[in-house]
Amino acid sequence: MSTSRPSALSFAVGLPPAARKGAVILALLLLVVLGLAAGLFAWHGAIGERITAQQAEYDLIAARAARKAQEGGLRLRAGDGVEQMFLTGATPGLMLAAFQERVGESAARSGLTVVRIQGLETGDAEGKTPFRLGMDAEGSITQMRDFLVDIEASLPVMFVSGLELRPQAAVTEADAFPAEALRASFRIEAYGWGAKQ
């Protein structure tokens, strides 16, 4: 005569309704805990892989830096003649005046008519941000191009950080060559070197 062992299901069926409900809740809680444990394990593994990858990247950078230090890597110093890349002057005011003069000369060489040129506020009293100029000028598209090339290809290093082109006020739709009568607003920046604050 064979006797079969009672299964968990038949055991649960034989329980009173309140006990069955408790058993189901316990089973669900056990599944939730197992799911959380599996999620935490996967998350921990992903974090470990990311840490390993970042450590390898750090080791590579550190090795390159050490190699450069052994090779005597190049670094810019005051004696390297970098001053020509920057605006120079005894004070920030003199630097700004030299900047305005340099931009005005470039506009004249390009054939532009300067309407207005003035320094713009940067909000930095310590001189760590670049000097900034605003310039309105009139001319042709070719003269605008020549000005941009001259500004960005000469020393000191200057950047055109803003440009707005529009037809001159006197230009009408009847004009045959509107590209010959443009007005532009430029925002130009450059850094200074050695000013006494």
Side-chain angles (χ1 to χ4, degrees):
M1 188 166 150
S2 65
T3 60
S4 62
R5 298 173 67 187
S7 67
L9 183 60
S10 64
F11 176 76
V13 169
L15 292 175
R20 275 197 307 257
K21 189 175 183 181
V24 169
I25 291 173
L26 282 175
L28 289 175
L29 284 174
L30 181 62
L31 286 175
V32 168
V33 168
L34 289 174
L36 284 173
L40 284 173
F41 182 76
W43 176 75
H44 185 269
I47 293 294
E49 288 176 6
R50 188 182 306 167
I51 289 172
T52 302
Q54 288 180 345
Q55 184 64 44
E57 185 177 347
Y58 171 80
D59 292 342
L60 178 63
I61 292 170
R64 286 181 179 171
R67 189 173 66 236
K68 281 291 181 188
Q70 289 175 350
E71 295 172 358
L74 296 176
R75 294 189 177 206
L76 289 176
R77 295 178 176 85
D80 292 330
V82 296
E83 296 91 348
Q84 62 181 335
M85 297 174 61
F86 300 92
L87 300 169
T88 55
T91 66
L94 290 174
M95 284 186 183
L96 183 60
F99 188 17
Q100 287 176 315
E101 182 181 7
R102 173 65 185 84
V103 170
E105 289 171 353
S106 181
R109 272 196 304 275
S110 304
L112 293 178
T113 301
V114 175
V115 176
R116 176 190 63 89
I117 183 168
Q118 66 182 30
L120 299 176
E121 181 62 40
T122 61
D124 180 15
E126 298 180 6
K128 294 178 182 175
T129 60
F131 290 91
R132 188 173 295 145
L133 289 179
M135 184 182 85
D136 292 336
E138 295 177 347
S140 70
I141 194 72
T142 303
Q143 292 167 332
M144 303 285 178
R145 181 204 61 205
D146 292 345
F147 173 73
L148 291 173
V149 169
D150 189 62
I151 281 290
E152 295 210 334
S154 60
L155 295 174
V157 176
M158 294 176 279
F159 308 94
V160 177
S161 58
L163 171 61
E164 180 184 337
L165 280 175
R166 57 195 176 280
Q168 288 182 28
V171 175
T172 66
E173 292 180 6
D175 289 316
F177 303 105
E180 298 303 311
L182 296 173
R183 184 165 183 158
S185 295
F186 298 91
R187 189 172 63 246
I188 306 164
E189 300 179 352
Y191 284 89
W193 177 274
K196 296 177 181 175
Q197 302 296 325

